[in-house]
Amino acid sequence: MPDTPLAGRHVLVTAGPTYEDIDPVRFLGNRSSGRMGFAVAAAARAAGARVTLVAGPVALDAPAGVERIDVRSAAQMHEAVMAALPADAYVGAAAVADFTPATVSGHKIKKGPGDAGLVLELVRTRDILADVAAHPRRPALVVGFAAETGNLEANARGKLDAKKLDLVCANRVGVPGSGFESSDNTLEVYWNGGHRRIGPAPKAAVAAELVGLVAGRLVDPTTGRPRP
Ligand code: C5P
């Protein structure tokens, strides 16, 4: 295998959280730092790919040589991803909001003296990963992430089937040395009929090994040639 196994390939990566606005000063977000997705983008670039990185709001510099598209909400991320297709591989590492406020208040929501609480109506966002996997120009390889607090394998394999993915990378969140807000990670990577644990290791090393798995699957094992 050459050391640039992804030369001539386009890899599309999402990273970071999304912010769903409630009013001009408030939003619903999550604790994703974006580091795993940025590490995947850097590793794919190092493997020779043209890389598009669609990033939610994060405090990270784009890896050198990577085209970065900044977005804020799940809806914006959906639009940017669809516009960036076609790609040979899609890696959905972003922690995309599942729900967004039904309406965004044009003014800052105020509390009144008699208000005991506030009910926010949320609606489902569109599933970017599932839409990429069902797209007429579906990438040859579609990779999802699954942040789980329990039942790792069952939940991850459920996602593999439900979203029609090629690989799903499960990571346990809420434990030290893994997942959100950590510089290290451990991934349990599942595919139909297989599994590999990557890490625990720094996210850059984890990303390099994951990109190796992706690159290996973009090559036909019988001919050693790139898969169309
Ligand atoms: O089903 P769940 O949200 O746990 O699946 C996580 C995977 O789905 C991640 O790869 C995430 O990027 C992706 N996702 C998405 N669009 C959504 C929700 C999740 O692409 N609206």
PDB file of all heavy atoms in Angstrom, residues 160-187:
ATOM      1  N   LEU A 160     -25.731   0.916  12.239  1.00  0.00           N
ATOM      2  CA  LEU A 160     -25.158   0.394  10.990  1.00  0.00           C
ATOM      3  C   LEU A 160     -26.277  -0.039  10.045  1.00  0.00           C
ATOM      4  O   LEU A 160     -26.289   0.319   8.862  1.00  0.00           O
ATOM      5  CB  LEU A 160     -24.264  -0.805  11.354  1.00  0.00           C
ATOM      6  CG  LEU A 160     -23.250  -1.327  10.360  1.00  0.00           C
ATOM      7  CD1 LEU A 160     -22.162  -0.309  10.081  1.00  0.00           C
ATOM      8  CD2 LEU A 160     -22.607  -2.613  10.900  1.00  0.00           C
ATOM      9  N   ASP A 161     -27.243  -0.780  10.581  1.00  0.00           N
ATOM     10  CA  ASP A 161     -28.370  -1.271   9.783  1.00  0.00           C
ATOM     11  C   ASP A 161     -29.338  -0.147   9.440  1.00  0.00           C
ATOM     12  O   ASP A 161     -29.691   0.048   8.287  1.00  0.00           O
ATOM     13  CB  ASP A 161     -29.163  -2.329  10.573  1.00  0.00           C
ATOM     14  CG  ASP A 161     -28.406  -3.627  10.660  1.00  0.00           C
ATOM     15  OD1 ASP A 161     -27.407  -3.766   9.938  1.00  0.00           O
ATOM     16  OD2 ASP A 161     -28.813  -4.494  11.466  1.00  0.00           O
ATOM     17  N   ALA A 162     -29.760   0.607  10.482  1.00  0.00           N
ATOM     18  CA  ALA A 162     -30.828   1.593  10.279  1.00  0.00           C
ATOM     19  C   ALA A 162     -30.399   2.670   9.296  1.00  0.00           C
ATOM     20  O   ALA A 162     -31.196   3.120   8.477  1.00  0.00           O
ATOM     21  CB  ALA A 162     -31.210   2.218  11.615  1.00  0.00           C
ATOM     22  N   LYS A 163     -29.125   3.083   9.378  1.00  0.00           N
ATOM     23  CA  LYS A 163     -28.679   4.188   8.525  1.00  0.00           C
ATOM     24  C   LYS A 163     -27.934   3.692   7.288  1.00  0.00           C
ATOM     25  O   LYS A 163     -27.401   4.486   6.531  1.00  0.00           O
ATOM     26  CB  LYS A 163     -27.807   5.161   9.340  1.00  0.00           C
ATOM     27  CG  LYS A 163     -28.530   5.769  10.552  1.00  0.00           C
ATOM     28  CD  LYS A 163     -27.838   7.016  11.065  1.00  0.00           C
ATOM     29  CE  LYS A 163     -28.449   7.487  12.374  1.00  0.00           C
ATOM     30  NZ  LYS A 163     -27.984   8.821  12.781  1.00  0.00           N
ATOM     31  N   LYS A 164     -27.847   2.370   7.120  1.00  0.00           N
ATOM     32  CA  LYS A 164     -27.211   1.758   5.940  1.00  0.00           C
ATOM     33  C   LYS A 164     -25.762   2.233   5.780  1.00  0.00           C
ATOM     34  O   LYS A 164     -25.352   2.729   4.725  1.00  0.00           O
ATOM     35  CB  LYS A 164     -28.009   2.052   4.665  1.00  0.00           C
ATOM     36  CG  LYS A 164     -29.500   1.775   4.793  1.00  0.00           C
ATOM     37  CD  LYS A 164     -29.971   0.765   3.784  1.00  0.00           C
ATOM     38  CE  LYS A 164     -31.428   0.394   3.909  1.00  0.00           C
ATOM     39  NZ  LYS A 164     -31.904   0.058   5.250  1.00  0.00           N
ATOM     40  N   LEU A 165     -24.993   2.044   6.862  1.00  0.00           N
ATOM     41  CA  LEU A 165     -23.598   2.489   6.883  1.00  0.00           C
ATOM     42  C   LEU A 165     -22.668   1.340   6.522  1.00  0.00           C
ATOM     43  O   LEU A 165     -23.039   0.171   6.598  1.00  0.00           O
ATOM     44  CB  LEU A 165     -23.250   3.002   8.286  1.00  0.00           C
ATOM     45  CG  LEU A 165     -24.232   3.999   8.902  1.00  0.00           C
ATOM     46  CD1 LEU A 165     -23.776   4.408  10.292  1.00  0.00           C
ATOM     47  CD2 LEU A 165     -24.376   5.214   8.002  1.00  0.00           C
ATOM     48  N   ASP A 166     -21.430   1.706   6.169  1.00  0.00           N
ATOM     49  CA  ASP A 166     -20.399   0.693   5.928  1.00  0.00           C
ATOM     50  C   ASP A 166     -19.603   0.422   7.201  1.00  0.00           C
ATOM     51  O   ASP A 166     -19.197  -0.703   7.446  1.00  0.00           O
ATOM     52  CB  ASP A 166     -19.472   1.170   4.808  1.00  0.00           C
ATOM     53  CG  ASP A 166     -20.257   1.369   3.532  1.00  0.00           C
ATOM     54  OD1 ASP A 166     -20.659   0.366   2.929  1.00  0.00           O
ATOM     55  OD2 ASP A 166     -20.520   2.533   3.174  1.00  0.00           O
ATOM     56  N   LEU A 167     -19.356   1.473   7.961  1.00  0.00           N
ATOM     57  CA  LEU A 167     -18.634   1.345   9.228  1.00  0.00           C
ATOM     58  C   LEU A 167     -19.310   2.233  10.255  1.00  0.00           C
ATOM     59  O   LEU A 167     -19.784   3.323   9.917  1.00  0.00           O
ATOM     60  CB  LEU A 167     -17.188   1.866   9.104  1.00  0.00           C
ATOM     61  CG  LEU A 167     -16.189   1.179   8.199  1.00  0.00           C
ATOM     62  CD1 LEU A 167     -14.867   1.954   8.236  1.00  0.00           C
ATOM     63  CD2 LEU A 167     -15.962  -0.264   8.618  1.00  0.00           C
ATOM     64  N   VAL A 168     -19.324   1.787  11.490  1.00  0.00           N
ATOM     65  CA  VAL A 168     -19.772   2.672  12.565  1.00  0.00           C
ATOM     66  C   VAL A 168     -18.732   2.618  13.677  1.00  0.00           C
ATOM     67  O   VAL A 168     -18.218   1.558  14.018  1.00  0.00           O
ATOM     68  CB  VAL A 168     -21.200   2.322  13.049  1.00  0.00           C
ATOM     69  CG1 VAL A 168     -21.277   0.961  13.698  1.00  0.00           C
ATOM     70  CG2 VAL A 168     -21.741   3.383  13.986  1.00  0.00           C
ATOM     71  N   CYS A 169     -18.371   3.801  14.161  1.00  0.00           N
ATOM     72  CA  CYS A 169     -17.334   3.932  15.190  1.00  0.00           C
ATOM     73  C   CYS A 169     -18.031   4.321  16.480  1.00  0.00           C
ATOM     74  O   CYS A 169     -18.533   5.437  16.605  1.00  0.00           O
ATOM     75  CB  CYS A 169     -16.358   5.045  14.838  1.00  0.00           C
ATOM     76  SG  CYS A 169     -15.688   4.896  13.190  1.00  0.00           S
ATOM     77  N   ALA A 170     -18.053   3.381  17.412  1.00  0.00           N
ATOM     78  CA  ALA A 170     -18.737   3.667  18.668  1.00  0.00           C
ATOM     79  C   ALA A 170     -17.719   4.133  19.682  1.00  0.00           C
ATOM     80  O   ALA A 170     -16.633   3.565  19.791  1.00  0.00           O
ATOM     81  CB  ALA A 170     -19.437   2.409  19.162  1.00  0.00           C
ATOM     82  N   ASN A 171     -18.047   5.204  20.373  1.00  0.00           N
ATOM     83  CA  ASN A 171     -17.222   5.524  21.531  1.00  0.00           C
ATOM     84  C   ASN A 171     -18.065   5.804  22.738  1.00  0.00           C
ATOM     85  O   ASN A 171     -19.146   6.348  22.660  1.00  0.00           O
ATOM     86  CB  ASN A 171     -16.150   6.590  21.265  1.00  0.00           C
ATOM     87  CG  ASN A 171     -16.702   7.903  20.819  1.00  0.00           C
ATOM     88  OD1 ASN A 171     -17.782   7.965  20.289  1.00  0.00           O
ATOM     89  ND2 ASN A 171     -15.971   8.946  21.034  1.00  0.00           N
ATOM     90  N   ARG A 172     -17.498   5.326  23.854  1.00  0.00           N
ATOM     91  CA  ARG A 172     -18.191   5.454  25.113  1.00  0.00           C
ATOM     92  C   ARG A 172     -17.986   6.881  25.590  1.00  0.00           C
ATOM     93  O   ARG A 172     -16.849   7.337  25.678  1.00  0.00           O
ATOM     94  CB  ARG A 172     -17.567   4.468  26.108  1.00  0.00           C
ATOM     95  CG  ARG A 172     -18.521   3.912  27.107  1.00  0.00           C
ATOM     96  CD  ARG A 172     -17.825   2.857  27.945  1.00  0.00           C
ATOM     97  NE  ARG A 172     -17.713   1.565  27.285  1.00  0.00           N
ATOM     98  CZ  ARG A 172     -18.699   0.703  27.151  1.00  0.00           C
ATOM     99  NH1 ARG A 172     -19.909   0.980  27.602  1.00  0.00           N
ATOM    100  NH2 ARG A 172     -18.518  -0.458  26.561  1.00  0.00           N
ATOM    101  N   VAL A 173     -19.063   7.573  25.867  1.00  0.00           N
ATOM    102  CA  VAL A 173     -18.923   8.929  26.397  1.00  0.00           C
ATOM    103  C   VAL A 173     -19.214   8.909  27.890  1.00  0.00           C
ATOM    104  O   VAL A 173     -19.871   7.998  28.391  1.00  0.00           O
ATOM    105  CB  VAL A 173     -19.837   9.944  25.669  1.00  0.00           C
ATOM    106  CG1 VAL A 173     -19.349  10.198  24.253  1.00  0.00           C
ATOM    107  CG2 VAL A 173     -21.288   9.473  25.639  1.00  0.00           C
ATOM    108  N   GLY A 174     -18.682   9.880  28.572  1.00  0.00           N
ATOM    109  CA  GLY A 174     -18.927   9.968  30.007  1.00  0.00           C
ATOM    110  C   GLY A 174     -17.930   9.176  30.830  1.00  0.00           C
ATOM    111  O   GLY A 174     -18.086   9.039  32.033  1.00  0.00           O
ATOM    112  N   VAL A 175     -16.863   8.635  30.161  1.00  0.00           N
ATOM    113  CA  VAL A 175     -15.798   7.972  30.924  1.00  0.00           C
ATOM    114  C   VAL A 175     -14.471   8.640  30.560  1.00  0.00           C
ATOM    115  O   VAL A 175     -14.317   9.123  29.448  1.00  0.00           O
ATOM    116  CB  VAL A 175     -15.708   6.451  30.611  1.00  0.00           C
ATOM    117  CG1 VAL A 175     -16.960   5.740  31.079  1.00  0.00           C
ATOM    118  CG2 VAL A 175     -15.461   6.184  29.136  1.00  0.00           C
ATOM    119  N   PRO A 176     -13.495   8.683  31.485  1.00  0.00           N
ATOM    120  CA  PRO A 176     -12.223   9.334  31.178  1.00  0.00           C
ATOM    121  C   PRO A 176     -11.503   8.611  30.034  1.00  0.00           C
ATOM    122  O   PRO A 176     -11.609   7.392  29.909  1.00  0.00           O
ATOM    123  CB  PRO A 176     -11.430   9.199  32.488  1.00  0.00           C
ATOM    124  CG  PRO A 176     -12.420   8.843  33.546  1.00  0.00           C
ATOM    125  CD  PRO A 176     -13.546   8.151  32.861  1.00  0.00           C
ATOM    126  N   GLY A 177     -10.778   9.369  29.198  1.00  0.00           N
ATOM    127  CA  GLY A 177      -9.961   8.767  28.134  1.00  0.00           C
ATOM    128  C   GLY A 177     -10.742   8.359  26.906  1.00  0.00           C
ATOM    129  O   GLY A 177     -10.263   7.601  26.068  1.00  0.00           O
ATOM    130  N   SER A 178     -11.950   8.869  26.773  1.00  0.00           N
ATOM    131  CA  SER A 178     -12.750   8.496  25.607  1.00  0.00           C
ATOM    132  C   SER A 178     -13.769   9.586  25.317  1.00  0.00           C
ATOM    133  O   SER A 178     -14.270  10.233  26.224  1.00  0.00           O
ATOM    134  CB  SER A 178     -13.474   7.174  25.885  1.00  0.00           C
ATOM    135  OG  SER A 178     -14.190   6.776  24.742  1.00  0.00           O
ATOM    136  N   GLY A 179     -14.058   9.764  24.027  1.00  0.00           N
ATOM    137  CA  GLY A 179     -15.191  10.596  23.645  1.00  0.00           C
ATOM    138  C   GLY A 179     -14.969  12.090  23.767  1.00  0.00           C
ATOM    139  O   GLY A 179     -13.878  12.598  23.531  1.00  0.00           O
ATOM    140  N   PHE A 180     -16.033  12.769  24.147  1.00  0.00           N
ATOM    141  CA  PHE A 180     -16.069  14.226  24.148  1.00  0.00           C
ATOM    142  C   PHE A 180     -15.048  14.834  25.111  1.00  0.00           C
ATOM    143  O   PHE A 180     -14.763  14.259  26.165  1.00  0.00           O
ATOM    144  CB  PHE A 180     -17.444  14.714  24.605  1.00  0.00           C
ATOM    145  CG  PHE A 180     -18.554  14.463  23.611  1.00  0.00           C
ATOM    146  CD1 PHE A 180     -19.847  14.827  23.915  1.00  0.00           C
ATOM    147  CD2 PHE A 180     -18.313  13.881  22.380  1.00  0.00           C
ATOM    148  CE1 PHE A 180     -20.895  14.609  23.023  1.00  0.00           C
ATOM    149  CE2 PHE A 180     -19.339  13.662  21.474  1.00  0.00           C
ATOM    150  CZ  PHE A 180     -20.633  14.028  21.802  1.00  0.00           C
ATOM    151  N   GLU A 181     -14.550  15.994  24.783  1.00  0.00           N
ATOM    152  CA  GLU A 181     -13.712  16.790  25.683  1.00  0.00           C
ATOM    153  C   GLU A 181     -12.483  16.019  26.160  1.00  0.00           C
ATOM    154  O   GLU A 181     -11.976  16.242  27.242  1.00  0.00           O
ATOM    155  CB  GLU A 181     -14.513  17.276  26.899  1.00  0.00           C
ATOM    156  CG  GLU A 181     -15.623  18.244  26.522  1.00  0.00           C
ATOM    157  CD  GLU A 181     -16.466  18.671  27.706  1.00  0.00           C
ATOM    158  OE1 GLU A 181     -16.647  17.884  28.640  1.00  0.00           O
ATOM    159  OE2 GLU A 181     -16.933  19.831  27.675  1.00  0.00           O
ATOM    160  N   SER A 182     -12.001  15.107  25.333  1.00  0.00           N
ATOM    161  CA  SER A 182     -10.834  14.325  25.713  1.00  0.00           C
ATOM    162  C   SER A 182      -9.857  14.372  24.551  1.00  0.00           C
ATOM    163  O   SER A 182     -10.260  14.437  23.392  1.00  0.00           O
ATOM    164  CB  SER A 182     -11.266  12.887  25.995  1.00  0.00           C
ATOM    165  OG  SER A 182     -10.138  12.077  26.180  1.00  0.00           O
ATOM    166  N   SER A 183      -8.530  14.337  24.836  1.00  0.00           N
ATOM    167  CA  SER A 183      -7.568  14.325  23.732  1.00  0.00           C
ATOM    168  C   SER A 183      -7.300  12.895  23.275  1.00  0.00           C
ATOM    169  O   SER A 183      -6.729  12.667  22.221  1.00  0.00           O
ATOM    170  CB  SER A 183      -6.277  15.014  24.141  1.00  0.00           C
ATOM    171  OG  SER A 183      -5.770  14.373  25.278  1.00  0.00           O
ATOM    172  N   ASP A 184      -7.714  11.916  24.094  1.00  0.00           N
ATOM    173  CA  ASP A 184      -7.556  10.513  23.714  1.00  0.00           C
ATOM    174  C   ASP A 184      -8.929   9.934  23.360  1.00  0.00           C
ATOM    175  O   ASP A 184      -9.956  10.495  23.703  1.00  0.00           O
ATOM    176  CB  ASP A 184      -6.985   9.696  24.874  1.00  0.00           C
ATOM    177  CG  ASP A 184      -5.500   9.964  25.063  1.00  0.00           C
ATOM    178  OD1 ASP A 184      -5.010  10.960  24.499  1.00  0.00           O
ATOM    179  OD2 ASP A 184      -4.860   9.192  25.786  1.00  0.00           O
ATOM    180  N   ASN A 185      -8.891   8.800  22.686  1.00  0.00           N
ATOM    181  CA  ASN A 185     -10.157   8.157  22.359  1.00  0.00           C
ATOM    182  C   ASN A 185      -9.960   6.652  22.194  1.00  0.00           C
ATOM    183  O   ASN A 185      -8.842   6.190  21.922  1.00  0.00           O
ATOM    184  CB  ASN A 185     -10.738   8.751  21.067  1.00  0.00           C
ATOM    185  CG  ASN A 185     -12.254   8.660  21.015  1.00  0.00           C
ATOM    186  OD1 ASN A 185     -12.887   8.158  21.941  1.00  0.00           O
ATOM    187  ND2 ASN A 185     -12.842   9.146  19.931  1.00  0.00           N
ATOM    188  N   THR A 186     -11.029   5.932  22.373  1.00  0.00           N
ATOM    189  CA  THR A 186     -11.073   4.499  22.057  1.00  0.00           C
ATOM    190  C   THR A 186     -12.293   4.298  21.190  1.00  0.00           C
ATOM    191  O   THR A 186     -13.388   4.717  21.563  1.00  0.00           O
ATOM    192  CB  THR A 186     -11.246   3.652  23.341  1.00  0.00           C
ATOM    193  OG1 THR A 186     -10.244   4.017  24.276  1.00  0.00           O
ATOM    194  CG2 THR A 186     -11.131   2.171  23.022  1.00  0.00           C
ATOM    195  N   LEU A 187     -12.089   3.707  20.019  1.00  0.00           N
ATOM    196  CA  LEU A 187     -13.217   3.450  19.127  1.00  0.00           C
ATOM    197  C   LEU A 187     -13.434   1.956  18.995  1.00  0.00           C
ATOM    198  O   LEU A 187     -12.475   1.190  18.842  1.00  0.00           O
ATOM    199  CB  LEU A 187     -12.945   4.001  17.716  1.00  0.00           C
ATOM    200  CG  LEU A 187     -12.811   5.500  17.531  1.00  0.00           C
ATOM    201  CD1 LEU A 187     -12.599   5.804  16.043  1.00  0.00           C
ATOM    202  CD2 LEU A 187     -14.040   6.237  18.054  1.00  0.00           C
TER     203      LEU A 187
END
